[in-house]
């Protein structure tokens, strides 16, 4: 079997993997290689053009994982998108870049992660980006990833509408990077304002350094497992390299003189660990895999955001994105003109215009808070979904959930605003209603249940496929989650929709037109319409061993001397918003840790 040798072997050329490769290869004395199962799609127009990102889901650039159990309606498995290409999910996602809150990131330190927390992550996230303010304002930072806001007339009008409307509730615009996320936030998108192309790790981090003599990128190379040194009997396992299968079916071993770093994502990183003999002893033995490290927490603690939303009819004379969504020729032509002029629009940006975070105490009454607190007490005595947890972690998790739900400053729910129709109540998700609409999405920022992902076969034939695994992801929503979403949904209709100037843009409402006459109606609506985001984290959590961690705060896999994980799977608790910004930060900080503590 042919083998090549490098100092650093990085498994996965996705969002985190390419950042680590770019940073570590700054040292010309280190030979670094990246092994990516997908291909280089840097020149693919659907990847480059922001508005075509929905076309990338469930296609050849998506691993297209599916949950092993049906959705809340019992109709079909849940879709679990993950990029399969250089750049990974940063090349197929929906662009929104919003750092998490201070309380969320500081909670990491309570789980045993010294040297992390908000201040560390804030510095690391800022290192990754350059922020371009609207209308030719001065840019901030010098990082590879370019951040912009949508400047087209339609989108800018709706952003202003929400800033002015939420001012009626006493909320001022919030800086997304402040750490104290409360009130309206104008969303940044990962788009280059000069080229108008997606800004992601393949073109922002990798392209400028591709010519480095000490950096090797191997695409079409699927890692089956980590290979450990055979002459280290009885000692701490030492990673010797990885077993790789090429796209042509050829197997080889790529050896590592110093470190093997898994950056294969929330599903593939625990899969590789288990195939390598690191995981729950009973599961591995049942599959005939030799146990290298017995750790039952590999693949556990899976978390994700759930969401629902309500749609409001908008006056015919008020512009929305509906005509573009229906692909009406005049609207498509106008969008193309806006994109060509570099002003964003639905082709040039995500069109998830803005968001807002508000404490639960602001969206429900005293009786509602009492009901939430009772559900909290009930939840404390039962497992949080299918994931196992140590007593220490469960105690910390329950305390964290309670603090978020009862806080006067923290927000367990996040509103996202979209100037168009969203098919929450339609049987066909591709349906686009006639007329103009506005959607208020409510995303559950702190979901209660946690799930798990595990291999169900030791065969390497599954390694480049979305098969051979059980993805028990903790869905449908827990009763506590349903209650929180229902309270936010009611607030959206009964309060937000009545704020000026937003209310003045809606079609007049008829008497008794409210969908939610009482909280039970809102609960029924949430149970029927709750969807699933693609914000997966947690399956190789960075926590102390007492808490049930898989890696320590130096990213080392417990029980191994030179094997690390650095991707979204190490995030121990789901971020308050889209996790993209957090992944950029953990990869930047992770690269520094690896460089400073390398064997």
């Amino acid at each position: 079997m042919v083998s090549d040798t490098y100092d650093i072997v990085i498994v996965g050329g996705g969002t985190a993997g390419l950042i680590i490769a770019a940073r570590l290869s700054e040292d010309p004395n280190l030979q670094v290689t990246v092994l990516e199962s997908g291909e280089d799609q840097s020149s693919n127009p659907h990847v480059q053009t922001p508005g075509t990102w929905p076309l990338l889901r469930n296609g050849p650039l998506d691993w297209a994982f599916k949950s092993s159990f049906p959705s809340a309606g019992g109709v079909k498995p849940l879709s679990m998108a993950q990029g399969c290409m250089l750049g990974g999910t940063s090349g197929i996602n929906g662009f929104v870049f919003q750092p998490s809150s201070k309380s969320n990131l500081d909670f990491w330190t309570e789980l045993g992660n010294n040297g992390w927390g908000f201040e560390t992550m804030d510095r690391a996230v800022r290192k990754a980006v350059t922020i371009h303010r609207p209308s030719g304002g001065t840019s901030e930072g010098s990082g590879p990833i370019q951040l912009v806001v949508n400047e087209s007339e339609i989108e800018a009008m709706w952003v202003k509408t929400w800033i002015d409307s939420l001012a009626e509730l006493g909320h001022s615009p919030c800086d997304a990077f402040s750490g104290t996320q409360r009130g309206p936030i104008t969303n940044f998108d990962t788009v280059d304002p000069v080229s108008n192309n997606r800004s992601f790790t393949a073109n922002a981090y990798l392209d400028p350094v591709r010519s480095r003599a000490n950096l090797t990128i191997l695409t079409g190379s699927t890692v089956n497992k980590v290979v450990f040194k055979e002459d280290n009997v009885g000692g701490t396992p030492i990673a010797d390299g990885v077993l790789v299968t090429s796209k042509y079916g050829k197997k080889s071993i790529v050896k590592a003189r110093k470190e093997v770093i898994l950056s294969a994502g929330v599903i593939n990183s625990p899969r590789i660990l288990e195939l390598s003999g690191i995981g729950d002893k009973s599961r591995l033995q049942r599959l005939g895999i030799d146990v290298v490290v017995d750790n039952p927490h590999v693949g556990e603690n899976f978390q994700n955001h759930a969401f629902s939303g309500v749609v409001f009819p908008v006056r015919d004379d008020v512009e929305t994105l509906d005509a573009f969504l229906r692909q009406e020729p005049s609207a498509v032509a106008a969008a193309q003109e806006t994109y060509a002029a570099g002003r964003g629009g639905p082709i040039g940006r995500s069109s998830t215009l803005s968001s807002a975070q508000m404490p639960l105490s602001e969206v429900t009454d005293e009786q509602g808070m009492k009901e939430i607190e009772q559900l909290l007490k009930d939840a404390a005595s039962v497992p949080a979904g299918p994931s196992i947890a140590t007593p220490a972690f469960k105690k910390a998790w329950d305390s964290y959930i309670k603090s978020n739900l009862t806080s006067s400053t923290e927000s367990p729910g996040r509103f996202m605003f979209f100037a168009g129709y969203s098919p929450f109540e339609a049987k066909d998700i591709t349906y686009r209603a006639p007329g103009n609409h506005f959607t208020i999405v409510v995303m559950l920022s702190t979901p209660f249940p946690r799930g798990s992902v595990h291999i169900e076969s030791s065969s390497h034939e599954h390694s480049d496929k979305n098969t051979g695994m059980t993805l028990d992801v903790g869905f449908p929503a827990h009763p506590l989650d349903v209650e929180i979403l229902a309270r936010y949904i009611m607030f959206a209709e009964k309060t937000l929709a009545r704020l000026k100037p937003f209310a003045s843009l809606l079609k007049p409402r008829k008497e008794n037109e409210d969908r939610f006459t009482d909280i039970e109606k809102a609960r029924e609506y949430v149970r029927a319409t709750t969807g699933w985001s693609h914000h997966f984290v947690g399956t190789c959590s960075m926590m102390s061993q007492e808490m049930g961690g898989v890696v320590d705060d130096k990213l080392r896999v417990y029980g191994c001397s030179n094997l690390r994980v650095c991707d979204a799977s190490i995030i121990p608790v789901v971020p308050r918003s889209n996790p993209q910004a957090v992944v950029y930060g953990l990869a930047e900080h992770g690269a520094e840790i690896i460089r400073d503590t390398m064997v």
Side-chain angles (χ1 to χ4, degrees):
M1 188 176 291
V2 178
S3 65
D4 294 316
T5 303
Y6 303 86
D7 294 310
I8 306 293
V9 174
I10 300 171
V11 179
T15 309
L18 291 186
I19 294 174
I20 297 167
R23 295 307 187 191
L24 294 186
S25 63
E26 290 172 351
D27 181 351
N29 296 314
L30 283 178
Q31 293 294 320
V32 179
T33 189
V34 176
L35 303 168
E36 167 56 40
S37 188
E39 299 291 345
D40 186 355
Q41 299 289 334
S42 297
S43 61
N44 186 325
H46 292 318
V47 172
Q48 293 285 11
T49 305
T52 57
W53 69 269
L55 302 176
L56 304 174
R57 296 286 170 84
N58 293 309
L61 309 188
D62 181 4
W63 281 90
F65 291 105
K66 304 292 182 184
S67 68
S68 302
F69 302 96
S71 63
V75 178
K76 59 182 180 180
L78 298 164
S79 173
M80 303 171 69
Q82 183 174 311
C84 183
M85 56 184 287
L86 282 180
T89 304
S90 74
I92 70 169
N93 66 12
F95 302 96
V96 174
F97 191 100
Q98 190 176 120
S100 194
S101 71
K102 184 178 188 300
S103 66
N104 175 268
L105 295 170
D106 283 346
F107 181 59
W108 293 22
T109 63
E110 297 180 33
L111 299 175
N113 298 314
N114 296 323
W116 289 79
F118 175 74
E119 290 187 7
T120 295
M121 288 293 287
D122 179 57
R123 177 188 59 79
V125 170
R126 290 178 187 273
K127 181 179 180 181
V129 301
T130 298
I131 303 170
H132 300 274
R133 299 292 179 181
S135 304
T138 57
S139 60
E140 302 170 24
S142 57
I145 297 298
Q146 308 301 303
L147 302 182
V148 297
V149 298
N150 206 326
E151 295 187 81
S152 75
E153 292 181 9
I154 296 176
E155 281 86 347
M157 182 274 289
W158 281 108
V159 169
K160 184 178 186 302
T161 295
W162 277 105
I163 290 175
D164 294 344
S165 295
L166 290 169
E168 291 190 12
L169 298 178
H171 289 291
S172 301
C174 176
D175 179 359
F177 286 78
S178 67
T180 55
Q181 296 175 344
R182 187 179 182 189
I185 301 172
T186 301
N187 292 335
F188 287 109
D189 284 341
T190 49
V191 176
D192 189 317
V194 177
S195 66
N196 286 320
N197 289 338
R198 175 191 292 271
S199 181
F200 70 123
T201 54
N203 60 15
Y205 276 89
L206 178 60
D207 280 355
V209 303
R210 281 180 188 263
S211 61
R212 286 177 180 167
N214 64 329
L215 177 60
T216 302
I217 307 294
L218 300 174
T219 58
S221 301
T222 300
V223 171
N224 306 125
K225 67 175 184 177
V226 179
V227 177
F228 295 93
K229 288 189 175 181
E230 296 180 356
D231 58 355
N232 191 51
V233 179
T236 301
I238 299 173
D240 195 31
V242 293
L243 177 64
V244 183
T245 302
S246 75
K247 58 186 172 183
Y248 305 110
K250 179 182 177 181
K251 290 188 179 294
S252 62
I253 292 178
V254 177
K255 290 195 172 186
R257 299 186 191 94
K258 293 180 176 291
E259 303 261 355
V260 173
I261 303 165
L262 299 186
S263 294
V266 174
I267 298 174
N268 280 322
S269 283
R271 164 154 68 176
I272 293 170
L273 286 180
E274 290 184 332
L275 288 171
S276 306
I278 300 173
D280 179 65
K281 180 179 180 179
S282 60
R283 174 177 292 105
L284 300 181
Q285 289 178 335
R286 174 172 60 83
L287 296 174
I289 298 173
D290 292 336
V291 179
V292 176
V293 175
D294 179 15
N295 187 338
H297 300 284
V298 172
E300 299 291 314
N301 198 37
F302 177 99
Q303 298 160 59
N304 190 22
H305 290 141
F307 64 90
S308 184
V310 282
V311 181
F312 300 92
V314 172
R315 290 183 354 224
D316 293 338
D317 62 329
V318 177
E319 287 190 280
T320 64
L321 301 178
D322 288 285
F324 175 80
L325 295 174
R326 294 189 294 265
Q327 292 293 282
E328 296 177 10
S330 60
V332 172
Q336 290 172 335
E337 182 179 343
T338 299
Y339 177 55
R343 298 196 309 274
I347 297 177
R349 303 288 189 270
S350 71
S351 292
T352 304
L353 314 176
S354 58
S355 56
Q357 301 204 32
M358 296 183 209
L360 185 59
S361 58
E362 290 189 16
V363 305
T364 192
D365 56 16
E366 184 178 350
Q367 179 59 34
M369 289 303 297
K370 289 181 179 179
E371 292 176 6
I372 293 291
E373 290 179 7
Q374 183 58 50
L375 283 170
L376 272 170
K377 292 178 181 178
D378 296 342
S381 62
V382 298
S387 177
I388 64 171
T390 66
F393 179 78
K394 190 173 189 317
K395 181 180 179 180
W397 177 259
D398 290 347
S399 175
Y400 174 75
I401 293 291
K402 182 177 181 179
S403 68
N404 276 275
L405 298 189
T406 59
S407 171
S408 61
T409 57
E410 298 303 315
S411 175
R414 175 187 177 208
F415 297 104
M416 294 180 288
F417 305 119
F418 173 65
Y421 177 85
S422 296
F424 281 103
E425 297 181 85
K427 293 182 179 180
D428 181 1
I429 62 172
T430 65
Y431 174 72
R432 296 294 177 262
N436 296 339
H437 305 82
F438 193 93
T439 300
I440 300 179
V441 177
V442 179
M443 188 183 80
L444 188 65
S445 301
T446 313
F448 182 76
R450 292 168 290 109
S452 61
V453 300
H454 294 293
I455 61 171
E456 281 299 326
S457 171
S458 61
S459 174
H460 296 162
E461 68 179 6
H462 298 287
S463 295
D464 63 346
K465 303 177 181 65
N466 57 10
T467 56
M469 302 191 73
T470 296
L471 309 181
D472 188 353
V473 294
F475 199 87
H478 187 275
L480 179 60
D481 293 349
V482 170
E483 190 70 19
I484 296 165
L485 280 173
R487 299 283 171 178
Y488 274 93
I489 285 290
M490 283 192 72
F491 185 79
E493 180 167 272
K494 292 183 175 295
T495 301
L496 295 185
R498 288 178 167 84
L499 297 174
K500 296 179 181 179
F502 177 61
S504 67
L505 303 178
L506 301 181
K507 286 186 174 180
R509 294 210 282 185
K510 301 175 183 177
E511 289 187 23
N512 303 319
E513 195 178 8
D514 280 356
R515 281 163 282 205
F516 314 123
T517 54
D518 55 54
I519 187 60
E520 183 54 38
K521 292 289 185 183
R523 292 173 187 141
E524 291 174 3
Y525 181 88
V526 165
R527 292 187 192 103
T529 62
T530 294
W532 178 263
S533 71
H534 301 279
H535 301 165
F536 322 127
V537 303
T539 52
C540 297
S541 286
M542 180 175 62
M543 296 190 288
S544 69
Q545 287 184 288
E546 178 194 20
M547 289 286 180
V550 175
V551 301
D552 63 17
D553 54 22
K554 298 296 186 290
L555 311 177
R556 292 195 181 101
V557 174
Y558 285 117
C560 299
S561 63
N562 65 332
L563 175 62
R564 309 199 204 213
V565 182
C566 188
D567 57 29
S569 73
I570 73 166
I571 298 174
V573 57
V574 68
R576 193 61 54 79
S577 54
N578 302 48
Q580 178 176 208
V582 175
V583 176
Y584 278 102
L586 72 85
E588 282 281 10
H589 185 52
E592 294 177 2
I593 289 174
I594 295 166
R595 183 191 61 216
D596 294 342
T597 61
M598 198 177 303
V599 296

